[in-house]
Amino acid sequence: MEFSHRPVLLNECLENLKIKPDGIYVDGTLGGAGHAAEIYKQLDKDGTLLGVDQDSDALEHAKEILNNTPGKAKIILVKSNFKNIKKVCVENGIKKVDGILLDLGVSSYQLDEPERGFSYMNDAPLDMRMDKDIEITAERIVNEYSKENIKEIIRNYGEERWAPRIAEFIIAAREKKHIDTTWELVEIIKAAIPSSARRDGPHPAKRTFQALRIEVNNELGILKDAIDDAISILKPCGRFCIITFHSLEDRIVKNEFNKATDPCTCPRDFPICVCKRKPTAKHISKKPIIPTKEELEENPRARSAKLRVIERM
């Protein structure tokens, strides 16, 4: 098994986490340990790095990487979803942390390993599970969900204008043959989207594959629920960094961060606040931080990345 991972916005994350050598830091999406290894290097013997990932393969690889990274800090690795960060901390005797990082992108390993079924560029079983222990797969969605459900998933999570036609074509195809592989699905999508609409823009299957991956892993529901819990375990002045890769994720992070920094629900024309809700955090980056031109030249997969940062008050 060969992991290939370039941590996105690495320098920007390290700078904004304001790492203290004796601090406690959580990487809630450990992946290829690219960010985690660099955080670990900046910690001393009194520091702690807690790494969380739902992918067993990623955890095994991260363990190997971190064991070969210079440093003396305590390392705790846990198989779990980042939505459980608070629970994982409590179970490991950690009450408060100095910083949390979430990188919401699919890892290069997951994209490049054909049998995971994430990529429309490789022929593979329709899987798309980040956690191999969950039951739902992309294959099950396209073969068992109703036309209306498939349409809504593709439209809402892929922002795909051709969602109704794609859903219609999927239903027609599965009536003839069970849809088993990524390339079978790609051909169905290509047939559904008029050739004139396929000439420009991204790969015709990109939005549908994104939508199915989000549905399989409940990515958006998990994200919204996780942010409040993560903020609650930050120490005063602790930093929370989240890297997103598409507008749906970024919108949730932006909205949830805004609720934490400006929770007042009073009408704007009220002279004073009467709801008494106080902010729990402040913005460090009001606008998202994006990759430099140099990073994009070295790593084209970073092109849609956005980093947002808040600090616990």
Side-chain angles (χ1 to χ4, degrees):
M1 181 195 311
E2 190 67 34
F3 271 73
S4 171
H5 180 70
R6 292 185 182 181
V8 173
L9 291 162
L10 175 60
N11 293 332
E12 291 83 353
C13 287
L14 296 175
E15 178 184 340
N16 280 282
L17 281 171
K18 287 180 66 178
I19 297 169
K20 299 187 295 185
D22 62 348
I24 301 172
Y25 292 88
V26 179
D27 186 336
T29 48
L30 195 57
H35 292 100
E38 296 304 318
I39 293 170
Y40 179 64
K41 288 177 184 177
Q42 296 192 31
L43 300 176
D44 63 22
K45 62 180 178 61
D46 296 315
T48 300
L49 172 67
L50 171 60
V52 177
D53 206 289
Q54 60 186 332
D55 188 325
S56 300
D57 293 340
L59 273 177
E60 284 302 310
H61 172 72
K63 183 178 180 180
E64 183 180 337
I65 292 293
L66 292 168
N67 283 342
N68 289 292
T69 300
K72 296 181 179 179
K74 183 179 181 180
I75 298 173
I76 304 170
L77 301 182
V78 179
K79 182 183 184 299
S80 188
N81 189 287
F82 64 76
K83 70 178 181 180
N84 302 316
I85 282 179
K86 187 174 183 177
K87 179 183 177 185
V88 169
C89 284
V90 170
E91 289 173 347
N92 285 277
I94 298 171
K95 293 181 180 179
K96 297 287 182 179
V97 304
D98 295 281
I100 300 170
L101 171 65
L102 298 180
D103 174 354
L104 302 180
V106 182
S107 73
S108 298
Y109 161 72
Q110 289 170 330
L111 284 172
D112 296 337
E113 198 70 12
E115 64 262 25
R116 302 301 294 271
F118 285 103
S119 176
Y120 43 80
M121 303 303 290
N122 297 303
D123 194 21
L126 269 171
D127 194 321
M128 301 195 192
R129 290 174 298 173
M130 292 182 180
D131 180 351
K132 294 178 182 178
D133 292 333
I134 65 173
E135 292 184 7
I136 189 70
T137 63
E139 178 265 337
R140 184 168 162 187
I141 292 170
V142 299
N143 287 287
E144 298 181 15
Y145 279 30
S146 70
K147 181 169 75 172
E148 187 63 27
N149 281 352
I150 293 172
K151 180 187 75 175
E152 290 302 307
I153 289 167
I154 297 172
R155 181 162 61 190
N156 294 337
Y157 296 159
E159 299 180 298
E160 171 61 77
R161 62 177 292 209
W162 299 104
R165 272 179 64 86
I166 294 170
E168 186 178 319
F169 276 57
I170 286 172
I171 299 300
R174 80 187 194 190
E175 287 177 354
K176 298 175 184 176
K177 179 192 175 298
H178 194 274
I179 304 167
D180 296 306
T181 70
T182 53
W183 279 4
E184 286 176 8
L185 181 58
V186 167
E187 291 306 310
I188 294 166
I189 295 167
K190 285 181 178 178
I193 300 176
S195 58
S196 58
R198 287 191 268 117
R199 291 194 189 107
D200 301 314
H203 191 286
K206 180 179 180 180
R207 294 186 180 93
T208 297
F209 270 61
Q210 171 185 296
L212 291 172
R213 191 198 78 222
I214 289 172
E215 173 70 13
V216 168
N217 299 287
N218 188 26
E219 293 176 31
L220 300 185
I222 286 169
L223 176 60
K224 187 174 181 182
D225 294 341
I227 291 175
D228 267 357
D229 266 3
I231 293 172
S232 74
I233 59 170
L234 283 172
K235 294 179 183 178
C237 299
R239 295 283 181 91
F240 190 8
C241 298
I242 303 184
I243 303 171
T244 63
F245 287 84
H246 56 76
S247 59
L248 298 172
E249 290 174 338
D250 186 58
R251 199 175 303 140
I252 291 172
V253 174
K254 179 182 177 181
N255 289 341
E256 294 304 307
F257 276 12
N258 283 341
K259 287 178 187 176
T261 57
D262 183 15
C264 178
T265 56
C266 298
R268 292 302 176 189
D269 57 353
F270 272 31
I272 59 170
C273 173
V274 294
C275 74
K276 306 299 183 184
R277 296 187 180 187
K278 302 295 183 185
T280 55
K282 66 179 182 180
H283 284 291
I284 297 302
S285 58
K286 185 67 176 177
K287 292 185 177 180
I289 300 165
I290 59 176
T292 62
K293 182 181 177 182
E294 291 73 22
E295 179 172 3
L296 291 176
E297 288 174 353
E298 292 180 6
N299 185 12
R301 283 181 175 169
R303 63 186 176 276
S304 57
K306 292 181 179 179
L307 169 65
R308 292 186 185 272
V309 187
I310 56 173
E311 180 179 286
R312 181 71 193 257
M313 294 177 68

